[in-house]
Amino acid sequence: MAQQAYVTETDNGGSGPERRGARLRSLLVRLAGRLSAGWRGDPRIWRRGLVVAALALLLALVMLLHARIPNRFGNLGSLTETFLPWLGVFVPLLLLPAFVRRSATALIALVLPAVVWLNLFGGLLGDKTGSGGDLTVATHNVNAGNADPSGTARDVAASGADVVALEELTESAVPVYEKALAATYRYHSVQGTVGLWSKYPLSHVAAVDIKLGWVRAMRATVTTPQGPVGFYVAHLPSVRVKLQAGFTARQRDKSADALGEAIAADPLSRKILLGDLNGTMNDRSLNGVTSQMRSAQGAAGSGFGFSWPASFPMARIDQIMVTGVEPVTSWTLPRTSSDHLPVAARVKVTTP
């Protein structure tokens, strides 16, 4: 009798979770029925929305064949590849007019760009971060106009990194960074506008010629507890988007090739590149570097890890790349007074 009374009370009260779940399912079924009612028996669902369907197919082709887009005209190919992940935003945007137009053709066509985008970037949506590792590294374009270099240095040091690379250092700001980082990093070297701070000894420090006429790249051997690792710090030339010239990146591309040649010629098997490459891993113009090194974010990060601009990150142009060591985890650090976000990674140096 007690069991019967409980069942009756719950049914009449209508406040139990089973009751609410049943109401929600009923509501969704009725809504789906109303939406489909306008589609059934309408032969025009295949003739409407042809423009939306065409745009969907064009979007899929751009993503699928982005490597075929020529760079002869304003470096259009590199520009597309820099913001390639954002093309996926157009899929839900096109989905709305497809529903409004009640176009089955458009809806089916939109499956193609969705599949292409997931094939290109679906692997970045998951969390590949691990645990362990021997060495934590970080890199940050501190911005030449940084109003709080001391605070920025402290923020980066707070990441716990064993080795830190800074780019876009000005002559007047270098002493500020040196003072702020001295307590944490015993060893450091500044070459031109880039610098490397380390808890472990540095040797074989030298500027790297990236065909600019002034120093924006360097190389040093860091003697870690697991043995020597070659570190490169680089700040490749900036790119510009101009109405008349398009995506101007010729000097950046030339410097990337020179940097790639220097890394390839390095006799050490374990190497780490830190810096602002002013380009993403998708940009074919960085192949001289990306073809021989792994992205820590791509191998062991969570999400895209966009780093620029700091106010609304849209691209990861600040890179940590490795060869001969294993990325364990990669992440972006909190915003500083710079227009870039600092990025960090932990790697395993003692590879099998």
Side-chain angles (χ1 to χ4, degrees), residues 124-129 296-306 329-332:
L124 295 175
L125 299 179
D127 186 353
K128 299 182 289 297
T129 58
Q297 180 67 24
S302 176
F304 292 96
F306 295 145
T329 183
S330 177
W331 67 99
T332 56

Side-chain angles (χ1 to χ4, degrees), residues 165-177:
L166 301 182
E167 304 87 48
E168 209 164 295
L169 297 170
T170 63
E171 186 176 354
S172 60
V174 166
V176 180
Y177 287 107

